[in-house]
Amino acid sequence: FYTEGTTIWNKNHAVMSNGFGLNGNNSTTQTIIVPQPKHDSLFYVFSMDGASIGFSTDSALRYSVVNMKLAGGLGAVTSEKNVFLMRPTTEKISAVHHCNVVDIWIIAHQWNSDAFYVYLLSKNGLSDPIIINVGRVHNYAPGPSKGCFPGQMKASPNGANLAVGCWKASGGLIADGIPSIEIFDFDNASGMISNPIFISHPNGGYGIEFSPDNSKLYVSTLSGEVSIIKKLSQF
């Protein structure tokens, strides 16, 4: 099954049973689907409001649970739908395995704050968040922009690092002195995030991905203006 943040479709490309009306947004940078550990049919869909919400206190992170044993194997969204987790949120979310290679860390970032919210998904469900204040405050950059609200967040395959792209939507330009890429150490045993490294990128970081061997970080830019050259950079 698949989703763009507001609707879930099954493998036949039909709307899944109870799969309409997710409180997400189809322009949100990231929406993720995560299998629940030790369950062969349960999946958590994490959805977030997009920047078009206007950065209000209504922008929230929520989850819905899909059970693939329902509807004759086509799956259905259960009664656990649009379960509230936190607000206000940016458009960033990532998932990475715990060091036990079974449980999964879910990492989100609060809007107008330097706080990461780190949840652990296990066979028993979703834990209360670990709240970690580190890195820059994700809020408006100077001028009429959506500084750091959009942009991806990704963990490295080995779970040792976390990278965050901070994109300023007004032309894609980040104001002088404001870092547009953040790289952190991530402890996949405790969920702790530390040791921020800031990188300024002329067009702002939007797409983020690590190489499979954890040695490189790839960053793409995005702009609403044709005058800005879209680039892919390797660090």
Side-chain angles (χ1 to χ4, degrees):
F1 65 94
Y2 56 97
T3 181
E4 39 60 280
T6 67
T7 304
I8 299 176
W9 290 269
N10 63 30
K11 68 179 182 179
N12 294 332
H13 314 299
V15 176
M16 179 177 283
S17 177
N18 198 28
F20 56 89
L22 268 64
N23 288 336
N25 190 294
N26 61 17
S27 73
T28 299
T29 306
Q30 291 174 283
T31 298
I32 60 172
I33 300 169
V34 182
Q36 184 172 1
K38 301 292 186 178
H39 292 269
D40 62 2
S41 59
L42 296 181
F43 295 82
Y44 279 62
V45 180
F46 294 90
S47 57
M48 299 173 291
D49 298 313
S52 60
I53 294 297
F55 318 110
S56 72
T57 55
D58 292 331
S59 57
L61 171 64
R62 298 177 175 87
Y63 74 85
S64 302
V65 176
V66 170
N67 187 338
M68 289 304 296
K69 289 184 177 179
L70 300 177
L74 291 176
V77 178
T78 70
S79 59
E80 289 187 84
K81 182 178 179 182
N82 290 324
V83 179
F84 172 82
L85 289 175
M86 70 96 160
R87 67 162 54 97
T89 182
T90 65
E91 294 185 356
K92 313 170 196 303
I93 191 166
S94 189
V96 62
H97 270 111
H98 187 281
C99 66
N100 63 19
V101 200
V102 177
D103 300 329
I104 300 171
W105 294 108
I106 310 298
I107 310 163
H109 200 290
Q110 191 173 40
W111 169 248
N112 201 28
S113 170
D114 62 356
F116 286 90
Y117 279 62
V118 183
Y119 305 83
L120 186 64
L121 181 62
S122 69
K123 65 179 182 180
N124 299 317
L126 202 64
S127 71
D128 291 333
I130 303 168
I131 301 174
I132 305 164
N133 297 91
V134 64
R136 67 162 291 190
V137 173
H138 289 204
N139 61 6
Y140 289 105
S145 67
K146 300 171 182 176
C148 231
F149 194 97
Q152 288 187 321
M153 174 166 58
K154 290 291 186 72
S156 59
N158 63 1
N161 294 102
L162 185 70
V164 178
C166 294
W167 182 64
K168 176 184 169 187
S170 179
L173 296 174
I174 295 292
D176 290 342
I178 296 180
S180 54
I181 303 164
E182 297 176 286
I183 304 174
F184 302 87
D185 290 341
F186 182 71
D187 185 339
N188 64 350
S190 67
M192 294 305 296
I193 301 168
S194 61
N195 191 29
I197 298 172
F198 303 108
I199 302 173
S200 292
H201 198 285
N203 296 115
Y206 186 84
I208 292 281
E209 189 59 89
F210 286 90
S211 62
D213 67 355
N214 311 287
S215 70
K216 300 176 183 67
L217 180 69
Y218 297 97
V219 179
S220 66
T221 60
L222 176 69
S223 173
E225 297 180 2
V226 295
S227 60
I228 303 299
I229 299 174
K230 300 167 183 64
K231 298 178 180 179
L232 175 66
S233 300
Q234 173 184 281
F235 296 89

